[in-house]
Amino acid sequence: MAIKSCALLLLALALQLLAGSSPAVAQLEIGFYSKTCPNVEAIVREEIEKIIDAAPSLAGPLLRLHFHDCFVRGCDASVLLNSTDSNVAERDAKPNKSLRGFGSVDRVKAKLEAACPNTVSCADVLTLMARDAVVLAKGPFWPVALGRRDGRVSSATEASDQLPPSFGDIPLLTKIFASKGLNLKDLVVLSGGHTLGTAHCPSFADRLYNFSGNGVDPSLDSEYADKLKTRCKSVDDKAMLSEMDPGSFKTFDTSYYRHVAKRRGLFQSDAALLTDATTRDYVQRIASGKFDDVFFRDFSESMIKMGNVGVLTGDEGEIRKKCYVPN
């Protein structure tokens, strides 16, 4: 009963956000494909179940792929486009070099093209896949309003300039989130997505070696720093991976916040959550283990908001046949 009432509240929130939003977002609909591709969500869910069953560690990368898409030009699947001889695309920007899951998106899109040709956008596919990946990792479900269109432009320069950096402090991260219509609560809640996935050494090794010219980052627990050093031998070590939520990086839960509260967040941006009163209070509250349901609801709400950022609708953009190339 509690799960059902939560789902109804999230549906009401999704509809409320659509009603009180920009004209483009207002054109998104729950059940947008009810007449043109009624089984879209079932097709996506069936395929991603096979993908995650074969590779459970892909849940985090698929969530990250959606996040990185929405923060550059909005949720328009521009992150999926390949570079060309005349253009370096988002996926080849330095912050996106470690993105994974492109083949999985192509696989799901191919299934939808077979069932409903020229109908479902890559932007909607990626949004649904991110939601379903979280659910399959034992995380929350949230309703996804559909009707996004695919962008035709993808710029590595824009990605480098607009994505929240792993070394970001609260003022910088707040500014970036605000530029997307997201607030400080969304920042600390969406950071909880780091409960899934792994990271390459270069994204955090600066905290271990010669941090500000003084060795280890003092905001990082020293015992944890020593452990990380055994995996990352140098700032340039690109081979080794570290779990962002050690011990449960394939499961969506609240243990990420317990690590952050103990100064064991992997990135500087994780540690930064303890430097602001509002974000610190949230971290400590969820870290207590008594408010898992609150975090699940908050995460769902913030994901609905993020999924509406800068969307193209109506006659804007296009419906790509293949997600890696414009029509």
Side-chain angles (χ1 to χ4, degrees):
M1 180 66 81
I3 293 175
K4 185 176 181 180
S5 63
C6 182
L8 290 173
L9 283 171
L10 288 170
L11 178 58
L13 172 75
L15 295 173
Q16 180 183 342
L17 287 172
L18 293 176
S21 58
S22 69
V25 173
Q27 291 187 54
L28 298 181
E29 295 177 30
I30 303 291
F32 179 85
Y33 298 107
S34 59
K35 294 181 179 178
T36 56
C37 194
N39 295 322
V40 56
E41 294 204 34
I43 292 170
V44 173
R45 180 61 180 259
E46 181 180 356
E47 202 60 27
I48 199 168
E49 282 179 350
K50 296 175 185 175
I51 290 167
I52 298 299
D53 184 57
S57 63
L58 265 179
L62 288 171
L63 175 60
R64 184 174 178 234
L65 202 53
H66 178 45
F67 185 97
H68 280 229
D69 181 42
C70 292
F71 267 77
V72 185
R73 291 188 164 265
C75 308
D76 68 343
S78 53
V79 74
L80 302 176
L81 288 171
N82 282 340
S83 294
T84 64
D85 291 342
S86 59
N87 179 67
V88 183
E90 290 173 32
R91 66 190 291 171
D92 290 317
K94 186 176 180 181
N96 286 338
K97 287 288 189 180
S98 59
L99 288 179
R100 297 165 53 214
F102 295 101
S104 297
V105 177
D106 293 340
R107 174 174 161 178
V108 173
K109 173 64 170 171
K111 286 286 184 180
L112 287 167
E113 282 298 305
C116 318
N118 307 311
T119 301
V120 182
S121 69
C122 297
D124 278 344
V125 170
L126 186 52
T127 306
L128 286 171
M129 288 181 70
R131 190 272 309 275
D132 288 350
V134 168
V135 171
L136 292 171
K138 301 182 180 179
F141 173 93
W142 60 91
V144 174
L146 300 171
R148 296 165 189 77
R149 306 266 293 179
D150 298 324
R152 297 186 177 96
V153 177
S154 184
S155 164
T157 301
E158 289 182 357
S160 295
D161 290 343
Q162 297 178 29
L163 286 169
S166 61
F167 58 80
D169 59 14
I170 291 296
L172 175 60
L173 296 173
T174 300
K175 181 179 179 181
I176 293 173
F177 271 66
S179 72
K180 308 302 174 185
L182 302 171
N183 59 31
L184 189 60
K185 183 177 180 181
D186 296 315
L187 165 58
V188 66
V189 169
L190 291 173
S191 293
H194 288 169
T195 183
L196 293 175
T198 56
H200 288 84
C201 294
S203 62
F204 61 87
D206 279 343
R207 304 185 71 197
L208 305 176
Y209 303 100
N210 201 35
F211 182 81
S212 298
N214 296 310
V216 177
D217 180 353
S219 69
L220 185 62
D221 175 74
S222 59
E223 185 178 322
Y224 185 48
D226 289 341
K227 187 174 182 179
L228 289 173
K229 281 183 177 181
T230 65
R231 295 189 61 79
C232 294
K233 303 299 184 183
S234 75
V235 176
D236 300 317
D237 185 347
K238 297 178 181 177
M240 293 301 295
L241 291 169
S242 290
E243 299 172 8
M244 293 191 288
D245 183 2
S248 72
F249 75 104
K250 298 177 187 176
T251 304
F252 192 95
D253 55 26
T254 56
S255 61
Y256 160 80
Y257 291 102
R258 285 186 279 283
H259 289 299
V260 173
K262 295 176 182 176
R263 299 191 300 118
R264 293 189 169 202
L266 193 60
F267 306 119
Q268 283 177 253
S269 59
D270 296 325
L273 298 176
L274 297 179
T275 66
D276 173 86
T278 300
T279 56
R280 181 174 61 250
D281 286 350
Y282 190 88
V283 167
Q284 292 174 341
R285 184 181 187 215
I286 304 304
S288 71
K290 299 176 181 178
F291 300 98
D292 289 16
D293 58 332
V294 172
F295 169 60
F296 274 35
R297 185 179 67 245
D298 289 345
F299 190 82
S300 298
E301 292 179 3
S302 290
M303 286 298 292
I304 291 171
K305 286 178 66 177
M306 189 188 78
N308 293 346
V309 170
V311 294
L312 302 175
T313 56
D315 295 328
E316 299 173 308
E318 63 183 10
I319 304 296
R320 285 182 223 143
K321 286 190 69 67
K322 295 184 183 296
C323 292
Y324 52 84
V325 62
N327 293 340

mmCIF file of all heavy atoms in Angstrom, residues 120-163:
data_model
loop_
_atom_site.group_PDB
_atom_site.id
_atom_site.type_symbol
_atom_site.label_atom_id
_atom_site.label_comp_id
_atom_site.label_asym_id
_atom_site.label_seq_id
_atom_site.Cartn_x
_atom_site.Cartn_y
_atom_site.Cartn_z
ATOM 1 N N VAL A 120 9.807 6.353 -31.714
ATOM 2 C CA VAL A 120 10.313 6.646 -30.367
ATOM 3 C C VAL A 120 11.706 7.267 -30.455
ATOM 4 O O VAL A 120 12.608 6.709 -31.079
ATOM 5 C CB VAL A 120 10.371 5.360 -29.504
ATOM 6 C CG1 VAL A 120 10.845 5.700 -28.089
ATOM 7 C CG2 VAL A 120 8.994 4.696 -29.460
ATOM 8 N N SER A 121 11.873 8.409 -29.813
ATOM 9 C CA SER A 121 13.152 9.124 -29.873
ATOM 10 C C SER A 121 14.223 8.441 -29.034
ATOM 11 O O SER A 121 13.921 7.728 -28.070
ATOM 12 C CB SER A 121 12.974 10.562 -29.375
ATOM 13 O OG SER A 121 12.724 10.580 -27.981
ATOM 14 N N CYS A 122 15.462 8.689 -29.403
ATOM 15 C CA CYS A 122 16.591 8.180 -28.613
ATOM 16 C C CYS A 122 16.612 8.841 -27.236
ATOM 17 O O CYS A 122 17.025 8.232 -26.246
ATOM 18 C CB CYS A 122 17.904 8.444 -29.350
ATOM 19 S SG CYS A 122 18.011 7.576 -30.939
ATOM 20 N N ALA A 123 16.166 10.097 -27.171
ATOM 21 C CA ALA A 123 16.123 10.813 -25.889
ATOM 22 C C ALA A 123 15.165 10.132 -24.923
ATOM 23 O O ALA A 123 15.457 9.983 -23.727
ATOM 24 C CB ALA A 123 15.710 12.267 -26.122
ATOM 25 N N ASP A 124 14.002 9.689 -25.434
ATOM 26 C CA ASP A 124 13.058 8.961 -24.584
ATOM 27 C C ASP A 124 13.596 7.584 -24.218
ATOM 28 O O ASP A 124 13.423 7.111 -23.094
ATOM 29 C CB ASP A 124 11.705 8.818 -25.296
ATOM 30 C CG ASP A 124 10.827 10.059 -25.154
ATOM 31 O OD1 ASP A 124 11.111 10.900 -24.279
ATOM 32 O OD2 ASP A 124 9.842 10.171 -25.923
ATOM 33 N N VAL A 125 14.265 6.934 -25.169
ATOM 34 C CA VAL A 125 14.849 5.622 -24.897
ATOM 35 C C VAL A 125 15.841 5.718 -23.744
ATOM 36 O O VAL A 125 15.806 4.914 -22.793
ATOM 37 C CB VAL A 125 15.554 5.064 -26.155
ATOM 38 C CG1 VAL A 125 16.373 3.822 -25.799
ATOM 39 C CG2 VAL A 125 14.537 4.730 -27.236
ATOM 40 N N LEU A 126 16.736 6.708 -23.803
ATOM 41 C CA LEU A 126 17.758 6.858 -22.764
ATOM 42 C C LEU A 126 17.133 7.186 -21.420
ATOM 43 O O LEU A 126 17.566 6.678 -20.375
ATOM 44 C CB LEU A 126 18.748 7.952 -23.178
ATOM 45 C CG LEU A 126 19.972 8.169 -22.286
ATOM 46 C CD1 LEU A 126 20.707 6.860 -22.031
ATOM 47 C CD2 LEU A 126 20.914 9.193 -22.916
ATOM 48 N N THR A 127 16.092 8.011 -21.415
ATOM 49 C CA THR A 127 15.405 8.376 -20.166
ATOM 50 C C THR A 127 14.753 7.156 -19.528
ATOM 51 O O THR A 127 14.853 6.941 -18.307
ATOM 52 C CB THR A 127 14.357 9.467 -20.432
ATOM 53 O OG1 THR A 127 14.973 10.579 -21.092
ATOM 54 C CG2 THR A 127 13.737 9.964 -19.131
ATOM 55 N N LEU A 128 14.098 6.342 -20.342
ATOM 56 C CA LEU A 128 13.465 5.128 -19.824
ATOM 57 C C LEU A 128 14.497 4.107 -19.358
ATOM 58 O O LEU A 128 14.320 3.458 -18.316
ATOM 59 C CB LEU A 128 12.579 4.496 -20.906
ATOM 60 C CG LEU A 128 11.264 5.206 -21.210
ATOM 61 C CD1 LEU A 128 10.610 4.607 -22.449
ATOM 62 C CD2 LEU A 128 10.307 5.132 -20.022
ATOM 63 N N MET A 129 15.588 3.974 -20.099
ATOM 64 C CA MET A 129 16.620 3.012 -19.723
ATOM 65 C C MET A 129 17.270 3.372 -18.390
ATOM 66 O O MET A 129 17.554 2.487 -17.575
ATOM 67 C CB MET A 129 17.678 2.926 -20.818
ATOM 68 C CG MET A 129 17.216 2.227 -22.083
ATOM 69 S SD MET A 129 18.522 2.119 -23.347
ATOM 70 C CE MET A 129 19.641 0.915 -22.586
ATOM 71 N N ALA A 130 17.490 4.664 -18.160
ATOM 72 C CA ALA A 130 18.079 5.099 -16.892
ATOM 73 C C ALA A 130 17.150 4.752 -15.729
ATOM 74 O O ALA A 130 17.593 4.244 -14.689
ATOM 75 C CB ALA A 130 18.363 6.597 -16.930
ATOM 76 N N ARG A 131 15.854 5.036 -15.908
ATOM 77 C CA ARG A 131 14.872 4.707 -14.862
ATOM 78 C C ARG A 131 14.850 3.214 -14.590
ATOM 79 O O ARG A 131 14.921 2.766 -13.431
ATOM 80 C CB ARG A 131 13.496 5.213 -15.301
ATOM 81 C CG ARG A 131 12.384 5.163 -14.234
ATOM 82 C CD ARG A 131 11.626 3.861 -14.164
ATOM 83 N NE ARG A 131 11.115 3.380 -15.417
ATOM 84 C CZ ARG A 131 9.965 3.735 -15.983
ATOM 85 N NH1 ARG A 131 9.185 4.632 -15.403
ATOM 86 N NH2 ARG A 131 9.580 3.176 -17.131
ATOM 87 N N ASP A 132 14.765 2.417 -15.661
ATOM 88 C CA ASP A 132 14.674 0.966 -15.483
ATOM 89 C C ASP A 132 15.958 0.374 -14.910
ATOM 90 O O ASP A 132 15.923 -0.604 -14.150
ATOM 91 C CB ASP A 132 14.326 0.294 -16.810
ATOM 92 C CG ASP A 132 12.886 0.544 -17.237
ATOM 93 O OD1 ASP A 132 12.110 1.072 -16.414
ATOM 94 O OD2 ASP A 132 12.534 0.224 -18.383
ATOM 95 N N ALA A 133 17.113 0.955 -15.253
ATOM 96 C CA ALA A 133 18.385 0.489 -14.689
ATOM 97 C C ALA A 133 18.399 0.677 -13.178
ATOM 98 O O ALA A 133 18.859 -0.196 -12.431
ATOM 99 C CB ALA A 133 19.553 1.231 -15.328
ATOM 100 N N VAL A 134 17.886 1.814 -12.723
ATOM 101 C CA VAL A 134 17.806 2.081 -11.283
ATOM 102 C C VAL A 134 16.868 1.094 -10.608
ATOM 103 O O VAL A 134 17.183 0.527 -9.549
ATOM 104 C CB VAL A 134 17.349 3.533 -11.022
ATOM 105 C CG1 VAL A 134 16.986 3.737 -9.542
ATOM 106 C CG2 VAL A 134 18.437 4.518 -11.436
ATOM 107 N N VAL A 135 15.717 0.858 -11.218
ATOM 108 C CA VAL A 135 14.743 -0.084 -10.649
ATOM 109 C C VAL A 135 15.353 -1.484 -10.540
ATOM 110 O O VAL A 135 15.217 -2.160 -9.509
ATOM 111 C CB VAL A 135 13.462 -0.132 -11.507
ATOM 112 C CG1 VAL A 135 12.542 -1.260 -11.044
ATOM 113 C CG2 VAL A 135 12.723 1.209 -11.433
ATOM 114 N N LEU A 136 16.049 -1.921 -11.587
ATOM 115 C CA LEU A 136 16.638 -3.257 -11.588
ATOM 116 C C LEU A 136 17.809 -3.375 -10.615
ATOM 117 O O LEU A 136 18.193 -4.476 -10.222
ATOM 118 C CB LEU A 136 17.083 -3.632 -13.007
ATOM 119 C CG LEU A 136 15.933 -3.848 -13.997
ATOM 120 C CD1 LEU A 136 16.461 -3.985 -15.418
ATOM 121 C CD2 LEU A 136 15.115 -5.078 -13.608
ATOM 122 N N ALA A 137 18.365 -2.222 -10.211
ATOM 123 C CA ALA A 137 19.422 -2.216 -9.191
ATOM 124 C C ALA A 137 18.820 -2.064 -7.785
ATOM 125 O O ALA A 137 19.512 -1.706 -6.843
ATOM 126 C CB ALA A 137 20.416 -1.092 -9.464
ATOM 127 N N LYS A 138 17.512 -2.326 -7.686
ATOM 128 C CA LYS A 138 16.765 -2.287 -6.414
ATOM 129 C C LYS A 138 16.488 -0.860 -5.942
ATOM 130 O O LYS A 138 16.317 -0.613 -4.750
ATOM 131 C CB LYS A 138 17.493 -3.090 -5.322
ATOM 132 C CG LYS A 138 17.690 -4.556 -5.688
ATOM 133 C CD LYS A 138 18.359 -5.340 -4.570
ATOM 134 C CE LYS A 138 18.530 -6.806 -4.964
ATOM 135 N NZ LYS A 138 19.210 -7.589 -3.909
ATOM 136 N N GLY A 139 16.448 0.060 -6.889
ATOM 137 C CA GLY A 139 16.118 1.441 -6.573
ATOM 138 C C GLY A 139 14.651 1.748 -6.838
ATOM 139 O O GLY A 139 13.869 0.848 -7.150
ATOM 140 N N PRO A 140 14.267 3.019 -6.750
ATOM 141 C CA PRO A 140 12.863 3.416 -6.891
ATOM 142 C C PRO A 140 12.385 3.467 -8.342
ATOM 143 O O PRO A 140 13.185 3.592 -9.277
ATOM 144 C CB PRO A 140 12.849 4.814 -6.281
ATOM 145 C CG PRO A 140 14.221 5.345 -6.582
ATOM 146 C CD PRO A 140 15.141 4.161 -6.426
ATOM 147 N N PHE A 141 11.093 3.372 -8.502
ATOM 148 C CA PHE A 141 10.433 3.564 -9.791
ATOM 149 C C PHE A 141 9.816 4.959 -9.804
ATOM 150 O O PHE A 141 9.322 5.435 -8.787
ATOM 151 C CB PHE A 141 9.331 2.512 -9.981
ATOM 152 C CG PHE A 141 8.487 2.717 -11.210
ATOM 153 C CD1 PHE A 141 8.809 2.085 -12.397
ATOM 154 C CD2 PHE A 141 7.377 3.558 -11.178
ATOM 155 C CE1 PHE A 141 8.033 2.277 -13.545
ATOM 156 C CE2 PHE A 141 6.597 3.766 -12.313
ATOM 157 C CZ PHE A 141 6.932 3.115 -13.504
ATOM 158 N N TRP A 142 9.859 5.611 -10.953
ATOM 159 C CA TRP A 142 9.148 6.889 -11.097
ATOM 160 C C TRP A 142 8.523 6.953 -12.488
ATOM 161 O O TRP A 142 9.048 6.364 -13.443
ATOM 162 C CB TRP A 142 10.067 8.086 -10.856
ATOM 163 C CG TRP A 142 11.245 8.192 -11.793
ATOM 164 C CD1 TRP A 142 11.304 8.857 -12.982
ATOM 165 C CD2 TRP A 142 12.546 7.601 -11.594
ATOM 166 N NE1 TRP A 142 12.557 8.721 -13.545
ATOM 167 C CE2 TRP A 142 13.330 7.956 -12.720
ATOM 168 C CE3 TRP A 142 13.114 6.817 -10.587
ATOM 169 C CZ2 TRP A 142 14.667 7.544 -12.854
ATOM 170 C CZ3 TRP A 142 14.424 6.405 -10.725
ATOM 171 C CH2 TRP A 142 15.193 6.775 -11.845
ATOM 172 N N PRO A 143 7.399 7.639 -12.628
ATOM 173 C CA PRO A 143 6.755 7.757 -13.940
ATOM 174 C C PRO A 143 7.572 8.662 -14.851
ATOM 175 O O PRO A 143 8.121 9.668 -14.410
ATOM 176 C CB PRO A 143 5.395 8.384 -13.616
ATOM 177 C CG PRO A 143 5.613 9.119 -12.334
ATOM 178 C CD PRO A 143 6.637 8.320 -11.565
ATOM 179 N N VAL A 144 7.678 8.295 -16.118
ATOM 180 C CA VAL A 144 8.434 9.084 -17.081
ATOM 181 C C VAL A 144 7.484 9.632 -18.143
ATOM 182 O O VAL A 144 6.889 8.869 -18.912
ATOM 183 C CB VAL A 144 9.535 8.244 -17.754
ATOM 184 C CG1 VAL A 144 10.222 9.057 -18.864
ATOM 185 C CG2 VAL A 144 10.566 7.789 -16.728
ATOM 186 N N ALA A 145 7.338 10.945 -18.178
ATOM 187 C CA ALA A 145 6.579 11.586 -19.246
ATOM 188 C C ALA A 145 7.430 11.536 -20.512
ATOM 189 O O ALA A 145 8.637 11.760 -20.465
ATOM 190 C CB ALA A 145 6.259 13.031 -18.871
ATOM 191 N N LEU A 146 6.805 11.219 -21.643
ATOM 192 C CA LEU A 146 7.542 11.010 -22.885
ATOM 193 C C LEU A 146 7.136 12.020 -23.958
ATOM 194 O O LEU A 146 6.184 12.772 -23.790
ATOM 195 C CB LEU A 146 7.304 9.580 -23.379
ATOM 196 C CG LEU A 146 7.749 8.468 -22.415
ATOM 197 C CD1 LEU A 146 7.259 7.112 -22.902
ATOM 198 C CD2 LEU A 146 9.266 8.475 -22.247
ATOM 199 N N GLY A 147 7.874 12.021 -25.041
ATOM 200 C CA GLY A 147 7.613 12.965 -26.124
ATOM 201 C C GLY A 147 8.822 13.815 -26.472
ATOM 202 O O GLY A 147 8.718 14.782 -27.229
ATOM 203 N N ARG A 148 9.988 13.455 -25.889
ATOM 204 C CA ARG A 148 11.218 14.193 -26.228
ATOM 205 C C ARG A 148 11.598 13.935 -27.686
ATOM 206 O O ARG A 148 11.316 12.877 -28.233
ATOM 207 C CB ARG A 148 12.385 13.736 -25.324
ATOM 208 C CG ARG A 148 12.208 14.036 -23.856
ATOM 209 C CD ARG A 148 13.182 13.250 -22.990
ATOM 210 N NE ARG A 148 12.831 13.405 -21.581
ATOM 211 C CZ ARG A 148 11.822 12.759 -20.998
ATOM 212 N NH1 ARG A 148 11.096 11.902 -21.703
ATOM 213 N NH2 ARG A 148 11.544 12.958 -19.729
ATOM 214 N N ARG A 149 12.255 14.909 -28.279
ATOM 215 C CA ARG A 149 12.786 14.748 -29.630
ATOM 216 C C ARG A 149 14.309 14.771 -29.556
ATOM 217 O O ARG A 149 14.899 15.224 -28.576
ATOM 218 C CB ARG A 149 12.285 15.881 -30.522
ATOM 219 C CG ARG A 149 10.769 16.039 -30.542
ATOM 220 C CD ARG A 149 10.126 15.317 -31.664
ATOM 221 N NE ARG A 149 10.463 15.889 -32.953
ATOM 222 C CZ ARG A 149 10.024 15.416 -34.111
ATOM 223 N NH1 ARG A 149 9.232 14.358 -34.135
ATOM 224 N NH2 ARG A 149 10.377 15.972 -35.259
ATOM 225 N N ASP A 150 14.937 14.278 -30.605
ATOM 226 C CA ASP A 150 16.394 14.170 -30.631
ATOM 227 C C ASP A 150 17.042 15.399 -31.258
ATOM 228 O O ASP A 150 16.581 15.896 -32.287
ATOM 229 C CB ASP A 150 16.810 12.929 -31.423
ATOM 230 C CG ASP A 150 16.308 11.640 -30.806
ATOM 231 O OD1 ASP A 150 16.269 11.568 -29.559
ATOM 232 O OD2 ASP A 150 15.962 10.705 -31.559
ATOM 233 N N GLY A 151 18.129 15.864 -30.620
ATOM 234 C CA GLY A 151 18.869 16.999 -31.153
ATOM 235 C C GLY A 151 19.766 16.585 -32.311
ATOM 236 O O GLY A 151 20.083 15.402 -32.487
ATOM 237 N N ARG A 152 20.189 17.565 -33.081
ATOM 238 C CA ARG A 152 21.059 17.300 -34.231
ATOM 239 C C ARG A 152 22.479 17.799 -34.009
ATOM 240 O O ARG A 152 23.355 17.593 -34.843
ATOM 241 C CB ARG A 152 20.488 17.975 -35.478
ATOM 242 C CG ARG A 152 19.115 17.474 -35.917
ATOM 243 C CD ARG A 152 18.721 18.109 -37.241
ATOM 244 N NE ARG A 152 17.436 17.615 -37.741
ATOM 245 C CZ ARG A 152 16.273 18.230 -37.557
ATOM 246 N NH1 ARG A 152 16.247 19.367 -36.879
ATOM 247 N NH2 ARG A 152 15.158 17.736 -38.043
ATOM 248 N N VAL A 153 22.707 18.493 -32.881
ATOM 249 C CA VAL A 153 24.008 19.112 -32.604
ATOM 250 C C VAL A 153 24.625 18.469 -31.375
ATOM 251 O O VAL A 153 23.940 18.203 -30.377
ATOM 252 C CB VAL A 153 23.851 20.628 -32.375
ATOM 253 C CG1 VAL A 153 25.191 21.269 -32.014
ATOM 254 C CG2 VAL A 153 23.246 21.297 -33.607
ATOM 255 N N SER A 154 25.941 18.216 -31.435
ATOM 256 C CA SER A 154 26.662 17.648 -30.294
ATOM 257 C C SER A 154 28.070 18.221 -30.280
ATOM 258 O O SER A 154 28.801 18.104 -31.264
ATOM 259 C CB SER A 154 26.705 16.115 -30.411
ATOM 260 O OG SER A 154 27.318 15.539 -29.283
ATOM 261 N N SER A 155 28.444 18.838 -29.171
ATOM 262 C CA SER A 155 29.723 19.548 -29.101
ATOM 263 C C SER A 155 30.545 19.120 -27.890
ATOM 264 O O SER A 155 30.091 19.236 -26.746
ATOM 265 C CB SER A 155 29.467 21.060 -29.036
ATOM 266 O OG SER A 155 30.611 21.755 -28.607
ATOM 267 N N ALA A 156 31.757 18.660 -28.139
ATOM 268 C CA ALA A 156 32.657 18.281 -27.049
ATOM 269 C C ALA A 156 33.003 19.488 -26.193
ATOM 270 O O ALA A 156 33.131 19.381 -24.967
ATOM 271 C CB ALA A 156 33.929 17.658 -27.620
ATOM 272 N N THR A 157 33.148 20.647 -26.828
ATOM 273 C CA THR A 157 33.467 21.870 -26.084
ATOM 274 C C THR A 157 32.361 22.204 -25.101
ATOM 275 O O THR A 157 32.626 22.543 -23.942
ATOM 276 C CB THR A 157 33.673 23.053 -27.059
ATOM 277 O OG1 THR A 157 34.744 22.736 -27.951
ATOM 278 C CG2 THR A 157 34.006 24.319 -26.295
ATOM 279 N N GLU A 158 31.117 22.105 -25.539
ATOM 280 C CA GLU A 158 29.990 22.376 -24.640
ATOM 281 C C GLU A 158 29.969 21.386 -23.479
ATOM 282 O O GLU A 158 29.678 21.764 -22.337
ATOM 283 C CB GLU A 158 28.676 22.317 -25.421
ATOM 284 C CG GLU A 158 28.480 23.483 -26.387
ATOM 285 C CD GLU A 158 27.149 23.407 -27.109
ATOM 286 O OE1 GLU A 158 26.398 22.424 -26.901
ATOM 287 O OE2 GLU A 158 26.853 24.333 -27.883
ATOM 288 N N ALA A 159 30.260 20.131 -23.755
ATOM 289 C CA ALA A 159 30.278 19.121 -22.697
ATOM 290 C C ALA A 159 31.346 19.454 -21.655
ATOM 291 O O ALA A 159 31.102 19.384 -20.443
ATOM 292 C CB ALA A 159 30.521 17.733 -23.287
ATOM 293 N N SER A 160 32.526 19.820 -22.110
ATOM 294 C CA SER A 160 33.615 20.152 -21.184
ATOM 295 C C SER A 160 33.275 21.373 -20.345
ATOM 296 O O SER A 160 33.668 21.468 -19.176
ATOM 297 C CB SER A 160 34.910 20.401 -21.975
ATOM 298 O OG SER A 160 35.335 19.217 -22.619
ATOM 299 N N ASP A 161 32.533 22.304 -20.932
ATOM 300 C CA ASP A 161 32.200 23.556 -20.242
ATOM 301 C C ASP A 161 31.020 23.413 -19.284
ATOM 302 O O ASP A 161 30.944 24.130 -18.280
ATOM 303 C CB ASP A 161 31.876 24.655 -21.256
ATOM 304 C CG ASP A 161 33.100 25.122 -22.031
ATOM 305 O OD1 ASP A 161 34.226 24.842 -21.571
ATOM 306 O OD2 ASP A 161 32.929 25.757 -23.085
ATOM 307 N N GLN A 162 30.091 22.501 -19.575
ATOM 308 C CA GLN A 162 28.811 22.490 -18.856
ATOM 309 C C GLN A 162 28.610 21.345 -17.873
ATOM 310 O O GLN A 162 27.762 21.429 -16.984
ATOM 311 C CB GLN A 162 27.659 22.491 -19.871
ATOM 312 C CG GLN A 162 27.627 23.742 -20.740
ATOM 313 C CD GLN A 162 26.521 23.714 -21.785
ATOM 314 O OE1 GLN A 162 25.477 23.094 -21.587
ATOM 315 N NE2 GLN A 162 26.758 24.377 -22.913
ATOM 316 N N LEU A 163 29.357 20.262 -18.014
ATOM 317 C CA LEU A 163 29.167 19.137 -17.094
ATOM 318 C C LEU A 163 29.727 19.452 -15.710
ATOM 319 O O LEU A 163 30.796 20.052 -15.594
ATOM 320 C CB LEU A 163 29.850 17.880 -17.641
ATOM 321 C CG LEU A 163 29.144 17.208 -18.816
ATOM 322 C CD1 LEU A 163 30.044 16.152 -19.451
ATOM 323 C CD2 LEU A 163 27.836 16.567 -18.355
#
